[in-house]
Amino acid sequence: MVRAIDVGFGLVKFSLPAEGGITFSSFPSMAIPADASAVRTLSTRRRDTFDVPVNGAQYEVGRDVGLAQAGGSFGRDVTDEFYKGAIYEALTKGALRYMAEAGDSAIDVLVLGLPVNQYNDAKRRDYLRQTYERAVEVGDGKTIEVRRVIVQAQPMGGYAAVEEHLEELNQVIRETGGALQPLASVDELDELAVLVVDPGEHTLDWLLIQQGSINPRASGAASDAGRHRVVRAVQESLATDIGRPLGPAVAPRINEALRQKQPVKLTGVAHDLSKYEPQIMSVIEDSLNRMIDGLRDAHEIIDLIVLVGGHPSRYRDVLSRRFPSIPVFVMPESMAANVRGFQMIGEALAENG
């Protein structure tokens, strides 16, 4: 029994049992302290959320958790200590609770992820293993026995999942017309220098993978270089234009409006966000410049760039302009690429004992 959880700053992605195999699902990375009032209990009977226990308190998590948000209670944690905080624990237990509701009572191998800069710290990997390699209480008297925890760098999941998309990858290689030729099999990936770029909500992660292994010297992460910084730049510009401060509860609306390329509606007024494209591209270019500096000249040897994450298109455009002869491949269903790869890694490890 193998399961995978990818706790991002924006969404929690996870695997679930399904008829004949597994499926993947997600919910927002928000955990709201549970309100025990009778009014709340009555109003949440139809809400797709759960209350999970963390350090003696209850947190509401799940697909409809946005309905629990009120005022300045944003329910998120976008710091580098995210992995050891109450919100991360509530989100992880929320994913486990969905598994329990689907019939899981024990997991032989659970694969978790960390941003690259956190993964490089052995103490953080050990913390996750010690915290979740046990019987985990997930609320309402339910428990899941987790027998083994494997921790991966988040973009490594995306790299593992590339093998499912060889034909799409070869099409991008042909269209680029650079030195790299289409691959005869996925085994040829191990002969390449592959840069996996994961623009997340808070961090921009990158892995340089050579001969199937991470090059730690040229891999890394830039904090405050992901989607959250883009949203913040747009929110600050919008607040200036409309002449009043905008609180944290507005950020998800701006994020969704940007994702759908639609106006954001605030106090009954629709605001066109397309005029903030220069600010958005400035943030993305600055973040990618930080990544290129972090590669320490290794960009000269890159054969292929693979993009994962929930919003890769603008990053693809910038990277394609910067490196026109290197194929830039956006993973299909890129938001779930890491968790799909985690599941594949866990299944391979379980099969090999």
Side-chain angles (χ1 to χ4, degrees), residues 77-94:
D77 181 352
V78 289
T79 70
D80 284 338
E81 296 298 304
F82 179 49
Y83 76 102
K84 65 191 300 185
I87 288 179
Y88 181 99
E89 184 172 339
L91 297 175
T92 302
K93 287 181 173 179

mmCIF file with all atom_site columns, all heavy atoms in Angstrom, residues 77-94:
data_model
loop_
_atom_site.group_PDB
_atom_site.id
_atom_site.type_symbol
_atom_site.label_atom_id
_atom_site.label_alt_id
_atom_site.label_comp_id
_atom_site.label_asym_id
_atom_site.label_entity_id
_atom_site.label_seq_id
_atom_site.pdbx_PDB_ins_code
_atom_site.Cartn_x
_atom_site.Cartn_y
_atom_site.Cartn_z
_atom_site.occupancy
_atom_site.B_iso_or_equiv
_atom_site.pdbx_formal_charge
_atom_site.auth_seq_id
_atom_site.auth_comp_id
_atom_site.auth_asym_id
_atom_site.auth_atom_id
_atom_site.pdbx_PDB_model_num
ATOM 1   N N   . ASP A 1 77 ? 0.425  29.299 5.775  1.00 0.00 ? 77 ASP A N   1
ATOM 2   C CA  . ASP A 1 77 ? 1.750  29.545 6.334  1.00 0.00 ? 77 ASP A CA  1
ATOM 3   C C   . ASP A 1 77 ? 2.716  29.542 5.157  1.00 0.00 ? 77 ASP A C   1
ATOM 4   O O   . ASP A 1 77 ? 2.877  28.530 4.485  1.00 0.00 ? 77 ASP A O   1
ATOM 5   C CB  . ASP A 1 77 ? 2.114  28.429 7.325  1.00 0.00 ? 77 ASP A CB  1
ATOM 6   C CG  . ASP A 1 77 ? 3.486  28.625 7.968  1.00 0.00 ? 77 ASP A CG  1
ATOM 7   O OD1 . ASP A 1 77 ? 4.214  29.539 7.532  1.00 0.00 ? 77 ASP A OD1 1
ATOM 8   O OD2 . ASP A 1 77 ? 3.836  27.861 8.878  1.00 0.00 ? 77 ASP A OD2 1
ATOM 9   N N   . VAL A 1 78 ? 3.332  30.684 4.857  1.00 0.00 ? 78 VAL A N   1
ATOM 10  C CA  . VAL A 1 78 ? 4.254  30.768 3.724  1.00 0.00 ? 78 VAL A CA  1
ATOM 11  C C   . VAL A 1 78 ? 5.654  31.131 4.211  1.00 0.00 ? 78 VAL A C   1
ATOM 12  O O   . VAL A 1 78 ? 6.330  31.998 3.665  1.00 0.00 ? 78 VAL A O   1
ATOM 13  C CB  . VAL A 1 78 ? 3.759  31.779 2.662  1.00 0.00 ? 78 VAL A CB  1
ATOM 14  C CG1 . VAL A 1 78 ? 2.555  31.236 1.935  1.00 0.00 ? 78 VAL A CG1 1
ATOM 15  C CG2 . VAL A 1 78 ? 3.420  33.126 3.286  1.00 0.00 ? 78 VAL A CG2 1
ATOM 16  N N   . THR A 1 79 ? 6.121  30.448 5.239  1.00 0.00 ? 79 THR A N   1
ATOM 17  C CA  . THR A 1 79 ? 7.460  30.646 5.764  1.00 0.00 ? 79 THR A CA  1
ATOM 18  C C   . THR A 1 79 ? 8.303  29.416 5.497  1.00 0.00 ? 79 THR A C   1
ATOM 19  O O   . THR A 1 79 ? 7.801  28.347 5.143  1.00 0.00 ? 79 THR A O   1
ATOM 20  C CB  . THR A 1 79 ? 7.433  30.904 7.286  1.00 0.00 ? 79 THR A CB  1
ATOM 21  O OG1 . THR A 1 79 ? 7.049  29.681 7.951  1.00 0.00 ? 79 THR A OG1 1
ATOM 22  C CG2 . THR A 1 79 ? 6.436  31.987 7.647  1.00 0.00 ? 79 THR A CG2 1
ATOM 23  N N   . ASP A 1 80 ? 9.624  29.530 5.677  1.00 0.00 ? 80 ASP A N   1
ATOM 24  C CA  . ASP A 1 80 ? 10.524 28.408 5.464  1.00 0.00 ? 80 ASP A CA  1
ATOM 25  C C   . ASP A 1 80 ? 10.408 27.363 6.569  1.00 0.00 ? 80 ASP A C   1
ATOM 26  O O   . ASP A 1 80 ? 10.964 26.272 6.460  1.00 0.00 ? 80 ASP A O   1
ATOM 27  C CB  . ASP A 1 80 ? 11.979 28.898 5.353  1.00 0.00 ? 80 ASP A CB  1
ATOM 28  C CG  . ASP A 1 80 ? 12.248 29.548 3.994  1.00 0.00 ? 80 ASP A CG  1
ATOM 29  O OD1 . ASP A 1 80 ? 11.500 29.244 3.048  1.00 0.00 ? 80 ASP A OD1 1
ATOM 30  O OD2 . ASP A 1 80 ? 13.177 30.352 3.891  1.00 0.00 ? 80 ASP A OD2 1
ATOM 31  N N   . GLU A 1 81 ? 9.702  27.686 7.656  1.00 0.00 ? 81 GLU A N   1
ATOM 32  C CA  . GLU A 1 81 ? 9.472  26.706 8.719  1.00 0.00 ? 81 GLU A CA  1
ATOM 33  C C   . GLU A 1 81 ? 8.126  26.006 8.567  1.00 0.00 ? 81 GLU A C   1
ATOM 34  O O   . GLU A 1 81 ? 7.650  25.359 9.493  1.00 0.00 ? 81 GLU A O   1
ATOM 35  C CB  . GLU A 1 81 ? 9.548  27.413 10.081 1.00 0.00 ? 81 GLU A CB  1
ATOM 36  C CG  . GLU A 1 81 ? 10.915 27.986 10.395 1.00 0.00 ? 81 GLU A CG  1
ATOM 37  C CD  . GLU A 1 81 ? 11.997 26.913 10.482 1.00 0.00 ? 81 GLU A CD  1
ATOM 38  O OE1 . GLU A 1 81 ? 11.834 25.971 11.278 1.00 0.00 ? 81 GLU A OE1 1
ATOM 39  O OE2 . GLU A 1 81 ? 12.986 27.016 9.733  1.00 0.00 ? 81 GLU A OE2 1
ATOM 40  N N   . PHE A 1 82 ? 7.544  26.136 7.393  1.00 0.00 ? 82 PHE A N   1
ATOM 41  C CA  . PHE A 1 82 ? 6.227  25.578 7.092  1.00 0.00 ? 82 PHE A CA  1
ATOM 42  C C   . PHE A 1 82 ? 6.121  24.104 7.468  1.00 0.00 ? 82 PHE A C   1
ATOM 43  O O   . PHE A 1 82 ? 5.133  23.664 8.049  1.00 0.00 ? 82 PHE A O   1
ATOM 44  C CB  . PHE A 1 82 ? 5.995  25.771 5.590  1.00 0.00 ? 82 PHE A CB  1
ATOM 45  C CG  . PHE A 1 82 ? 4.695  25.233 5.047  1.00 0.00 ? 82 PHE A CG  1
ATOM 46  C CD1 . PHE A 1 82 ? 3.492  25.518 5.669  1.00 0.00 ? 82 PHE A CD1 1
ATOM 47  C CD2 . PHE A 1 82 ? 4.667  24.486 3.879  1.00 0.00 ? 82 PHE A CD2 1
ATOM 48  C CE1 . PHE A 1 82 ? 2.288  25.056 5.144  1.00 0.00 ? 82 PHE A CE1 1
ATOM 49  C CE2 . PHE A 1 82 ? 3.477  24.017 3.347  1.00 0.00 ? 82 PHE A CE2 1
ATOM 50  C CZ  . PHE A 1 82 ? 2.284  24.306 3.983  1.00 0.00 ? 82 PHE A CZ  1
ATOM 51  N N   . TYR A 1 83 ? 7.161  23.335 7.168  1.00 0.00 ? 83 TYR A N   1
ATOM 52  C CA  . TYR A 1 83 ? 7.114  21.873 7.319  1.00 0.00 ? 83 TYR A CA  1
ATOM 53  C C   . TYR A 1 83 ? 6.898  21.434 8.772  1.00 0.00 ? 83 TYR A C   1
ATOM 54  O O   . TYR A 1 83 ? 6.433  20.320 9.014  1.00 0.00 ? 83 TYR A O   1
ATOM 55  C CB  . TYR A 1 83 ? 8.408  21.250 6.790  1.00 0.00 ? 83 TYR A CB  1
ATOM 56  C CG  . TYR A 1 83 ? 9.576  21.421 7.730  1.00 0.00 ? 83 TYR A CG  1
ATOM 57  C CD1 . TYR A 1 83 ? 10.005 20.382 8.548  1.00 0.00 ? 83 TYR A CD1 1
ATOM 58  C CD2 . TYR A 1 83 ? 10.246 22.641 7.824  1.00 0.00 ? 83 TYR A CD2 1
ATOM 59  C CE1 . TYR A 1 83 ? 11.057 20.547 9.424  1.00 0.00 ? 83 TYR A CE1 1
ATOM 60  C CE2 . TYR A 1 83 ? 11.296 22.814 8.684  1.00 0.00 ? 83 TYR A CE2 1
ATOM 61  C CZ  . TYR A 1 83 ? 11.700 21.759 9.487  1.00 0.00 ? 83 TYR A CZ  1
ATOM 62  O OH  . TYR A 1 83 ? 12.746 21.939 10.364 1.00 0.00 ? 83 TYR A OH  1
ATOM 63  N N   . LYS A 1 84 ? 7.246  22.268 9.759  1.00 0.00 ? 84 LYS A N   1
ATOM 64  C CA  . LYS A 1 84 ? 7.132  21.850 11.158 1.00 0.00 ? 84 LYS A CA  1
ATOM 65  C C   . LYS A 1 84 ? 6.043  22.592 11.917 1.00 0.00 ? 84 LYS A C   1
ATOM 66  O O   . LYS A 1 84 ? 5.902  22.426 13.123 1.00 0.00 ? 84 LYS A O   1
ATOM 67  C CB  . LYS A 1 84 ? 8.474  22.000 11.873 1.00 0.00 ? 84 LYS A CB  1
ATOM 68  C CG  . LYS A 1 84 ? 8.962  23.435 12.007 1.00 0.00 ? 84 LYS A CG  1
ATOM 69  C CD  . LYS A 1 84 ? 10.411 23.507 12.490 1.00 0.00 ? 84 LYS A CD  1
ATOM 70  C CE  . LYS A 1 84 ? 10.605 22.863 13.840 1.00 0.00 ? 84 LYS A CE  1
ATOM 71  N NZ  . LYS A 1 84 ? 11.984 23.051 14.344 1.00 0.00 ? 84 LYS A NZ  1
ATOM 72  N N   . GLY A 1 85 ? 5.230  23.360 11.195 1.00 0.00 ? 85 GLY A N   1
ATOM 73  C CA  . GLY A 1 85 ? 4.189  24.136 11.849 1.00 0.00 ? 85 GLY A CA  1
ATOM 74  C C   . GLY A 1 85 ? 2.878  23.382 11.947 1.00 0.00 ? 85 GLY A C   1
ATOM 75  O O   . GLY A 1 85 ? 2.677  22.313 11.366 1.00 0.00 ? 85 GLY A O   1
ATOM 76  N N   . ALA A 1 86 ? 1.952  23.976 12.695 1.00 0.00 ? 86 ALA A N   1
ATOM 77  C CA  . ALA A 1 86 ? 0.640  23.360 12.903 1.00 0.00 ? 86 ALA A CA  1
ATOM 78  C C   . ALA A 1 86 ? -0.144 23.250 11.605 1.00 0.00 ? 86 ALA A C   1
ATOM 79  O O   . ALA A 1 86 ? -0.880 22.277 11.389 1.00 0.00 ? 86 ALA A O   1
ATOM 80  C CB  . ALA A 1 86 ? -0.148 24.172 13.931 1.00 0.00 ? 86 ALA A CB  1
ATOM 81  N N   . ILE A 1 87 ? 0.005  24.239 10.721 1.00 0.00 ? 87 ILE A N   1
ATOM 82  C CA  . ILE A 1 87 ? -0.770 24.206 9.477  1.00 0.00 ? 87 ILE A CA  1
ATOM 83  C C   . ILE A 1 87 ? -0.310 23.064 8.583  1.00 0.00 ? 87 ILE A C   1
ATOM 84  O O   . ILE A 1 87 ? -1.126 22.318 8.022  1.00 0.00 ? 87 ILE A O   1
ATOM 85  C CB  . ILE A 1 87 ? -0.699 25.572 8.759  1.00 0.00 ? 87 ILE A CB  1
ATOM 86  C CG1 . ILE A 1 87 ? -1.530 26.592 9.546  1.00 0.00 ? 87 ILE A CG1 1
ATOM 87  C CG2 . ILE A 1 87 ? -1.173 25.469 7.318  1.00 0.00 ? 87 ILE A CG2 1
ATOM 88  C CD1 . ILE A 1 87 ? -1.529 27.985 8.987  1.00 0.00 ? 87 ILE A CD1 1
ATOM 89  N N   . TYR A 1 88 ? 1.012  22.865 8.440  1.00 0.00 ? 88 TYR A N   1
ATOM 90  C CA  . TYR A 1 88 ? 1.510  21.736 7.649  1.00 0.00 ? 88 TYR A CA  1
ATOM 91  C C   . TYR A 1 88 ? 0.978  20.420 8.218  1.00 0.00 ? 88 TYR A C   1
ATOM 92  O O   . TYR A 1 88 ? 0.521  19.542 7.471  1.00 0.00 ? 88 TYR A O   1
ATOM 93  C CB  . TYR A 1 88 ? 3.044  21.719 7.639  1.00 0.00 ? 88 TYR A CB  1
ATOM 94  C CG  . TYR A 1 88 ? 3.629  20.585 6.825  1.00 0.00 ? 88 TYR A CG  1
ATOM 95  C CD1 . TYR A 1 88 ? 4.084  20.801 5.526  1.00 0.00 ? 88 TYR A CD1 1
ATOM 96  C CD2 . TYR A 1 88 ? 3.722  19.287 7.344  1.00 0.00 ? 88 TYR A CD2 1
ATOM 97  C CE1 . TYR A 1 88 ? 4.606  19.766 4.770  1.00 0.00 ? 88 TYR A CE1 1
ATOM 98  C CE2 . TYR A 1 88 ? 4.235  18.250 6.597  1.00 0.00 ? 88 TYR A CE2 1
ATOM 99  C CZ  . TYR A 1 88 ? 4.686  18.494 5.316  1.00 0.00 ? 88 TYR A CZ  1
ATOM 100 O OH  . TYR A 1 88 ? 5.199  17.448 4.569  1.00 0.00 ? 88 TYR A OH  1
ATOM 101 N N   . GLU A 1 89 ? 1.035  20.271 9.531  1.00 0.00 ? 89 GLU A N   1
ATOM 102 C CA  . GLU A 1 89 ? 0.560  19.026 10.146 1.00 0.00 ? 89 GLU A CA  1
ATOM 103 C C   . GLU A 1 89 ? -0.934 18.834 9.894  1.00 0.00 ? 89 GLU A C   1
ATOM 104 O O   . GLU A 1 89 ? -1.386 17.720 9.581  1.00 0.00 ? 89 GLU A O   1
ATOM 105 C CB  . GLU A 1 89 ? 0.846  19.035 11.649 1.00 0.00 ? 89 GLU A CB  1
ATOM 106 C CG  . GLU A 1 89 ? 0.480  17.727 12.344 1.00 0.00 ? 89 GLU A CG  1
ATOM 107 C CD  . GLU A 1 89 ? 0.927  17.668 13.787 1.00 0.00 ? 89 GLU A CD  1
ATOM 108 O OE1 . GLU A 1 89 ? 1.849  18.418 14.163 1.00 0.00 ? 89 GLU A OE1 1
ATOM 109 O OE2 . GLU A 1 89 ? 0.337  16.866 14.546 1.00 0.00 ? 89 GLU A OE2 1
ATOM 110 N N   . ALA A 1 90 ? -1.704 19.908 10.011 1.00 0.00 ? 90 ALA A N   1
ATOM 111 C CA  . ALA A 1 90 ? -3.144 19.796 9.760  1.00 0.00 ? 90 ALA A CA  1
ATOM 112 C C   . ALA A 1 90 ? -3.412 19.402 8.316  1.00 0.00 ? 90 ALA A C   1
ATOM 113 O O   . ALA A 1 90 ? -4.294 18.572 8.036  1.00 0.00 ? 90 ALA A O   1
ATOM 114 C CB  . ALA A 1 90 ? -3.829 21.116 10.093 1.00 0.00 ? 90 ALA A CB  1
ATOM 115 N N   . LEU A 1 91 ? -2.645 19.970 7.373  1.00 0.00 ? 91 LEU A N   1
ATOM 116 C CA  . LEU A 1 91 ? -2.852 19.662 5.955  1.00 0.00 ? 91 LEU A CA  1
ATOM 117 C C   . LEU A 1 91 ? -2.474 18.222 5.645  1.00 0.00 ? 91 LEU A C   1
ATOM 118 O O   . LEU A 1 91 ? -3.181 17.530 4.893  1.00 0.00 ? 91 LEU A O   1
ATOM 119 C CB  . LEU A 1 91 ? -2.039 20.629 5.095  1.00 0.00 ? 91 LEU A CB  1
ATOM 120 C CG  . LEU A 1 91 ? -2.423 22.105 5.208  1.00 0.00 ? 91 LEU A CG  1
ATOM 121 C CD1 . LEU A 1 91 ? -1.467 22.971 4.405  1.00 0.00 ? 91 LEU A CD1 1
ATOM 122 C CD2 . LEU A 1 91 ? -3.866 22.351 4.764  1.00 0.00 ? 91 LEU A CD2 1
ATOM 123 N N   . THR A 1 92 ? -1.368 17.755 6.213  1.00 0.00 ? 92 THR A N   1
ATOM 124 C CA  . THR A 1 92 ? -0.955 16.373 5.999  1.00 0.00 ? 92 THR A CA  1
ATOM 125 C C   . THR A 1 92 ? -1.992 15.413 6.577  1.00 0.00 ? 92 THR A C   1
ATOM 126 O O   . THR A 1 92 ? -2.373 14.416 5.944  1.00 0.00 ? 92 THR A O   1
ATOM 127 C CB  . THR A 1 92 ? 0.429  16.120 6.633  1.00 0.00 ? 92 THR A CB  1
ATOM 128 O OG1 . THR A 1 92 ? 1.379  17.022 6.064  1.00 0.00 ? 92 THR A OG1 1
ATOM 129 C CG2 . THR A 1 92 ? 0.892  14.690 6.379  1.00 0.00 ? 92 THR A CG2 1
ATOM 130 N N   . LYS A 1 93 ? -2.468 15.727 7.763  1.00 0.00 ? 93 LYS A N   1
ATOM 131 C CA  . LYS A 1 93 ? -3.504 14.879 8.373  1.00 0.00 ? 93 LYS A CA  1
ATOM 132 C C   . LYS A 1 93 ? -4.809 14.959 7.579  1.00 0.00 ? 93 LYS A C   1
ATOM 133 O O   . LYS A 1 93 ? -5.559 13.982 7.513  1.00 0.00 ? 93 LYS A O   1
ATOM 134 C CB  . LYS A 1 93 ? -3.718 15.295 9.827  1.00 0.00 ? 93 LYS A CB  1
ATOM 135 C CG  . LYS A 1 93 ? -2.569 14.878 10.745 1.00 0.00 ? 93 LYS A CG  1
ATOM 136 C CD  . LYS A 1 93 ? -2.816 15.276 12.186 1.00 0.00 ? 93 LYS A CD  1
ATOM 137 C CE  . LYS A 1 93 ? -1.729 14.699 13.096 1.00 0.00 ? 93 LYS A CE  1
ATOM 138 N NZ  . LYS A 1 93 ? -1.918 15.083 14.514 1.00 0.00 ? 93 LYS A NZ  1
ATOM 139 N N   . GLY A 1 94 ? -5.070 16.103 6.957  1.00 0.00 ? 94 GLY A N   1
ATOM 140 C CA  . GLY A 1 94 ? -6.248 16.209 6.104  1.00 0.00 ? 94 GLY A CA  1
ATOM 141 C C   . GLY A 1 94 ? -6.177 15.264 4.918  1.00 0.00 ? 94 GLY A C   1
ATOM 142 O O   . GLY A 1 94 ? -7.164 14.592 4.576  1.00 0.00 ? 94 GLY A O   1
#
